Amino acid sequence: MFAILAAVGIDAGEQTRTDNSRKPGNHDELRYWLENMVWYHRFTNDEIATAMGLTKDEIIAAMKKFDIRPDNRPEKKDTVLTVLPYPGGRHPRIGFLEGAIDPQRETKISVFTPWDRDSYVVVEAEFKRIEATHWRSH
């Protein structure tokens, strides 16, 4: 695993930068989460760093290695909803931030609509109750 992460400049032994970040465990996880954060959630490098505990240089190197850019997201059929885990790193809420707890990866899902490629709904599970928290559009 260390060899794979080292190939894109990630020190597997390095401490995470925030309590709420989680480094990818291997090459496949790194690629998956970068695709999720860049292509779908349109995270900035700062937001990716917060979620993954990587430096900006590590993020840029990995994005270059995997050819992941905001402008090369694969096209999807217009009639399909896309559901992905919310990557954490930034609060998905627009309002009622007092009720927001650390936005951890995989505690929420994002539903991407077929009619607006740049909008999505974040749904969070809270005490076995599911509620839509907001509609985020950039």
Side-chain angles (χ1 to χ4, degrees), residues 59-136:
I59 293 163
I60 291 167
M63 288 171 62
K64 183 176 180 178
K65 176 180 177 65
F66 300 131
D67 192 29
I68 297 171
R69 302 182 318 271
D71 65 346
N72 70 344
R73 174 177 150 188
E75 292 294 324
K76 297 277 186 183
K77 291 183 179 181
D78 287 339
T79 59
V80 177
L81 285 176
T82 301
V83 179
L84 295 171
Y86 188 75
R90 74 174 175 203
H91 281 288
R93 294 176 182 232
I94 293 173
F96 186 55
L97 292 178
E98 308 81 42
I101 301 175
D102 291 335
Q104 296 178 348
R105 194 176 312 159
E106 300 169 331
T107 61
K108 300 162 184 51
I109 59 170
S110 300
V111 180
F112 296 84
T113 65
W115 56 85
D116 184 349
R117 172 183 168 106
D118 295 326
S119 296
Y120 58 94
V121 176
V122 176
V123 180
E124 65 183 351
E126 185 176 321
F127 303 109
K128 297 185 181 181
R129 187 182 84 215
I130 297 179
E131 61 181 319
T133 58
H134 85 288
W135 179 269
R136 183 175 192 100

Side-chain angles (χ1 to χ4, degrees), residues 43-58:
F43 274 29
T44 65
N45 288 351
D46 286 335
E47 292 169 326
I48 295 169
T50 299
M52 290 217 259
L54 302 175
T55 66
K56 287 184 190 176
D57 288 341
E58 291 170 328

